[in-house]
Amino acid sequence: MTPDQTARSIVAGLQDAVDAHDPDAMAARFAPGAVLVGSAGYSAGDSAVRRYLEGVATIGLLHWHLERYDVFLSTPDVLGFAAEGEIEWRDAEDASRDPFRLTIVAVPDGQDWRIQHFHGSMRSD
């Protein structure tokens, strides 16, 4: 698998867990001691990341439509990449599709990769 394909598969695995509204499956995509930075705040460590993901699980729809991926670091021990596109979301009161970008640093765990660092944000332009 190329680094670009690996990056896309990491996001796809997380998206599958988000689609299932399953905080256990989402948390399993993260490495121990991960850092997650998103719209709802900054979370460092297993319990803080888990709390953030429990909130994500309550959102009616959260889907990334990422067209551009750029791998900036690829070694056997770490993969770093950025992606850009849109985020689509819907909850009980509102829905939107907004410009979005993310950065992920992932580490291998057996046959899979786990997210060590996730930062997602809506673009300001």
Side-chain angles (χ1 to χ4, degrees):
M1 192 179 294
T2 69
D4 182 76
Q5 290 169 326
T6 301
R8 291 172 187 274
S9 74
I10 291 167
V11 173
L14 182 57
Q15 183 67 66
D16 288 346
V18 169
D19 290 347
H21 302 279
D22 184 345
D24 291 330
M26 285 185 254
R29 305 303 305 167
F30 285 80
V35 173
L36 187 161
V37 182
S39 300
Y42 182 104
S43 303
D46 300 343
S47 59
V49 168
R50 171 67 189 215
R51 280 191 303 277
Y52 190 101
L53 297 172
E54 286 171 351
V56 169
T58 66
I59 299 170
L61 170 76
L62 181 67
H63 191 86
W64 295 292
H65 302 275
L66 303 172
E67 298 111 26
R68 178 180 178 178
Y69 281 74
D70 292 295
V71 174
F72 57 81
L73 178 62
S74 179
T75 74
D77 298 324
V78 65
L79 181 70
F81 63 93
E84 183 178 44
E86 294 182 324
I87 187 167
E88 179 180 9
W89 60 273
R90 179 178 59 241
D91 61 20
E93 298 155 9
D94 205 0
S96 186
R97 189 165 171 158
D98 299 301
F100 187 77
R101 59 186 166 210
L102 65 79
T103 306
I104 290 178
V105 175
V107 294
D109 181 22
Q111 298 297 317
D112 206 357
W113 288 80
R114 295 179 74 186
I115 299 165
Q116 187 69 58
H117 168 85
F118 178 103
H119 182 201
S121 63
M122 289 192 246
R123 292 192 323 237
S124 61
D125 54 83

